[in-house]
Amino acid sequence: MSDDVVTGVSGYSFAPPDLNPAQRREGISAFMRIKNGAEFLEATIRSHIDEVDEIVAVFNNCTDATETILRTMRAEYGPKLRIFHYQDRVFPPGSEGHKTTDPSSPHSIVNYSNFALAQTKCTIVTKLDDDHLAIEQPWRALARQARQNLRQDQLLAFSGINLIHPKGQLSAEPQVLLNAPISGKGDIGFFRISDESFFHHDPRFERFAKNRSTRQFGAFTYWHLKFLKRDVYGNYELAENPNSRFARLRDRLDDFDSMPFDRWLRKAGKPRPWRSLMAAMVDKEAIARDQRRQLRAGRLRETPAKAMLRLSSLQNLSSSSLGPAP
């Protein structure tokens, strides 16, 4: 079902020519795949949209206020926010359905991801999740760097900091998740679209492959709010997939440790000589080395406390008072 605001799609199967690199306009497209993302969706869009030329928001199987929020924001931002409803059931990462489904099937998250990617219209593309709160200065600077200097063979990577409430203190200032403090280790960033840049199947998840690309770490550009959600692993259908790796993570959630941001920052930025040697040989180690250098340089000037204040100012639409779209 489609209307003037939301385009519905069913039965789509991706093919690389759908990316259409030769017909794209100069600029930056961001694309989102959203399932029950109402908690932080508005803040994600508002904190990123000024530095891109469009956001393509694709939602699937949402039972919360996601569609209502997107429709309301479309009235504000117009065609800069383009909305699609991917109507086929999609198997989540970690599920048996994902492991066994052909990646070109409408039910595959690989196909779903490639649909979202193929709807973008600009030459430079990046992916956003619905729980990414942009850190203003580094996000702005990196997006402008991508506009000016991004090479065809380059993926200009960015990362986020995972935030979580201290154990048993849901009203306390969020801290850094020690079990996995950094979100994104070179797999998300700005890239120039080509007919070889799309998602592939991995038994664990969808894997993005930009062939012959050189990865360079750009900046920490967002706070990752996933672990602040009311239901952290709710989108993985764990009742139907009890053997999912996300079920094991859910069961350990109460044991996750955290650390105040300033303490973690001092610890995380320390040089690690043996890993620096590995960076010359291993791509991900080079990303990790450059991440530590930025942390030492003090480029993360916003604190979680300030981020939460800014989050409140960006959430003009209360997801608690909005139901699903009719």
Side-chain angles (χ1 to χ4, degrees):
M1 176 176 159
S2 300
D3 55 38
D4 292 340
V5 176
V6 177
T7 300
V9 61
S10 179
Y12 172 84
S13 183
F14 170 75
D18 295 350
L19 297 171
N20 203 11
Q23 301 301 317
R24 290 172 172 259
R25 58 187 171 94
E26 286 295 325
I28 298 176
S29 297
F31 70 95
M32 305 178 69
R33 307 156 308 164
I34 307 158
K35 181 176 179 180
N36 291 337
E39 280 180 87
F40 302 120
L41 176 59
E42 181 187 4
T44 295
I45 292 173
R46 290 192 188 282
S47 65
H48 287 92
I49 198 167
D50 287 347
E51 298 302 327
V52 299
D53 297 282
E54 65 168 0
I55 291 180
V56 173
V58 186
F59 67 93
N60 173 255
N61 194 29
C62 292
T63 57
D64 65 357
T66 289
E67 183 177 352
T68 302
I69 291 171
L70 289 173
R71 286 179 176 275
T72 303
M73 298 190 78
R74 165 72 183 214
E76 177 179 351
Y77 289 110
K80 192 171 186 178
L81 176 63
R82 299 170 52 228
I83 308 170
F84 296 84
H85 181 192
Y86 189 95
Q87 296 168 340
D88 296 283
R89 189 269 174 93
V90 175
F91 295 113
S95 67
E96 288 301 314
H98 168 70
K99 291 179 184 178
T100 58
T101 298
D102 187 290
S104 63
S105 165
H107 303 294
S108 170
I109 195 169
V110 179
N111 190 74
Y112 171 40
S113 301
N114 283 325
F115 169 80
L117 176 61
Q119 305 319 301
T120 60
K121 293 184 176 181
C122 294
T123 54
I124 299 172
V125 179
T126 192
K127 179 174 77 73
L128 301 178
D129 289 345
D130 58 47
D131 47 19
H132 288 186
L133 175 64
I135 306 173
E136 291 177 295
Q137 192 281 327
W139 166 247
R140 182 184 307 116
L142 197 67
R144 294 179 183 183
Q145 179 184 338
R147 284 186 190 276
Q148 296 169 6
N149 302 316
L150 188 67
R151 303 188 311 270
Q152 184 64 44
D153 66 344
Q154 182 183 23
L155 189 150
L156 185 58
F158 53 80
S159 298
I161 306 296
N162 285 322
L163 296 180
I164 192 169
H165 290 294
K167 292 179 182 178
Q169 302 178 55
L170 295 182
S171 61
E173 176 185 326
Q175 297 183 352
V176 177
L177 174 63
L178 281 184
N179 303 67
I182 294 176
S183 169
K185 298 182 179 179
D187 56 343
I188 182 172
F190 295 101
F191 60 92
R192 289 192 176 275
I193 201 80
S194 76
D195 55 9
E196 296 180 328
S197 48
F198 53 88
F199 291 88
H200 295 255
H201 183 265
D202 182 296
R204 299 165 296 174
F205 41 67
E206 74 286 10
R207 178 174 55 83
F208 180 74
K210 186 178 188 298
N211 290 350
R212 298 188 295 277
S213 65
T214 301
R215 291 190 292 184
Q216 174 190 341
F217 181 67
F220 287 95
T221 63
Y222 64 95
W223 300 105
H224 193 204
L225 309 181
K226 174 178 179 174
F227 295 94
L228 301 182
K229 288 183 173 181
R230 288 186 287 269
D231 189 357
V232 175
Y233 295 108
N235 287 340
Y236 295 97
E237 301 178 8
L238 299 182
E240 296 82 11
N241 297 283
N243 296 321
S244 167
R245 63 192 181 95
F246 295 102
R248 296 190 293 274
L249 288 171
R250 177 204 56 195
D251 294 342
R252 292 170 46 209
L253 187 59
D254 289 341
D255 297 325
F256 285 178
D257 294 318
S258 65
M259 179 181 286
F261 175 68
D262 55 345
R263 285 176 53 200
W264 173 81
L265 197 58
R266 291 193 296 270
K267 177 182 177 182
K270 290 182 179 179
R272 300 178 187 179
W274 67 273
R275 297 194 73 171
S276 295
L277 289 173
M278 290 181 64
M281 301 175 285
V282 182
D283 200 13
K284 283 194 174 182
E285 289 296 337
I287 295 286
R289 175 201 61 201
D290 293 341
Q291 288 172 335
R292 290 191 297 273
R293 286 175 177 172
Q294 286 213 5
L295 293 172
R296 285 199 303 276
R299 296 185 184 179
L300 270 178
R301 297 178 181 176
E302 185 175 62
T303 64
K306 290 180 179 178
M308 292 303 99
L309 289 173
R310 190 161 55 84
L311 174 67
S312 297
S313 72
L314 292 170
Q315 295 278 78
N316 299 323
L317 305 173
S318 171
S319 61
S320 63
S321 63
L322 293 171

